[in-house]
């Protein structure tokens, strides 16, 4: 797997990978940026959420759960001092659907955490990960 970041101006960059997709990277004006892209640390969290979300939704579909909406919300705490690393991460899996079985969601989340998601495996070696499940019944 390969990726690169190319400078465009000031504190603005374009990230790309061998998949061919690109993502803008930027920062706030107080450090010379133009608020024109993701901050790199945000992308780490988006990657983590995406990794586990793909696992979980795939497993839930195989378990024939009627999911109407699904998201993984990630909150991270960071150290006060530089390099301001993440010190803990909380991931909330919000599953909305009809007659969603809690056991199916719990098993799907656990399989992602323990077996399938490499991003979780890496982060878990560095800090505590709290996994929370919220199930909502679809209306109508």
């Amino acid at each position: 797997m390969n990726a690169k970041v190319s400078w465009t101006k000031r504190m603005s960059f374009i990230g790309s990978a061998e998949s061919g997709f690109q993502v803008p990277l930027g920062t706030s004006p107080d450090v010379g940026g133009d608020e024109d892209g993701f901050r790199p640390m945000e992308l780490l969290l988006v990657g983590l959420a995406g990794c586990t979300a793909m696992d979980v939704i795939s497993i839930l579909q195989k378990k024939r759960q009627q999911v109407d909406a699904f998201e993984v919300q990630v909150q991270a705490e960071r150290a006060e001092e530089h390099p301001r690393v993440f010190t803990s991460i909380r991931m909330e899996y919000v599953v909305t659907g009809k007659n969603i079985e809690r056991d199916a969601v719990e098993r799907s989340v656990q399989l992602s955490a323990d077996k399938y998601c490499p991003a979780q495996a890496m982060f878990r070696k560095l800090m505590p990960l709290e996994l929370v499940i919220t199930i909502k019944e679809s209306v109508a």
Side-chain angles (χ1 to χ4, degrees):
M1 182 177 292
N2 297 301
K4 72 176 181 179
V5 170
S6 302
W7 180 52
T8 59
K9 64 178 173 140
R10 295 175 30 91
M11 290 296 287
S12 302
F13 301 82
I14 295 292
S16 59
E18 57 192 34
S19 63
F21 292 100
Q22 296 184 332
V23 63
L25 296 148
T27 192
S28 62
D30 60 317
V31 290
D34 295 316
E35 294 287 2
D36 57 354
F38 281 97
R39 280 132 174 94
M41 294 299 280
E42 291 174 327
L43 278 179
L44 289 174
L45 296 180
V46 169
L48 171 62
C51 182
T52 189
M54 289 180 187
D55 292 340
V56 171
I57 198 67
S58 174
I59 297 166
L60 288 174
Q61 288 171 340
K62 288 175 184 159
K63 290 180 175 287
R64 302 197 190 292
Q65 297 298 293
Q66 289 184 281
V67 178
D68 297 323
F70 174 64
E71 63 185 25
V72 179
Q73 301 170 1
V74 182
Q75 296 91 33
E77 296 295 321
R78 294 180 71 183
E80 291 294 320
E81 300 297 319
H82 287 284
R84 302 215 48 228
V85 298
F86 294 137
T87 56
S88 67
I89 294 177
R90 179 183 191 271
M91 293 191 295
E92 182 176 4
Y93 297 79
V94 182
V95 183
T96 304
K98 298 205 183 319
N99 302 314
I100 300 293
E101 298 169 16
R102 176 162 283 280
D103 288 348
V105 178
E106 288 174 354
R107 180 70 178 138
S108 300
V109 168
Q110 203 58 51
L111 281 169
S112 178
D114 295 340
K115 185 173 183 179
Y116 296 116
C117 179
Q120 272 194 77
M122 286 191 301
F123 276 109
R124 192 172 41 250
K125 290 182 180 199
L126 303 172
M127 77 204 66
L129 297 181
E130 179 186 1
L131 308 180
V132 176
I133 294 170
T134 300
I135 298 174
K136 298 179 179 180
E137 188 69 22
S138 290
V139 232

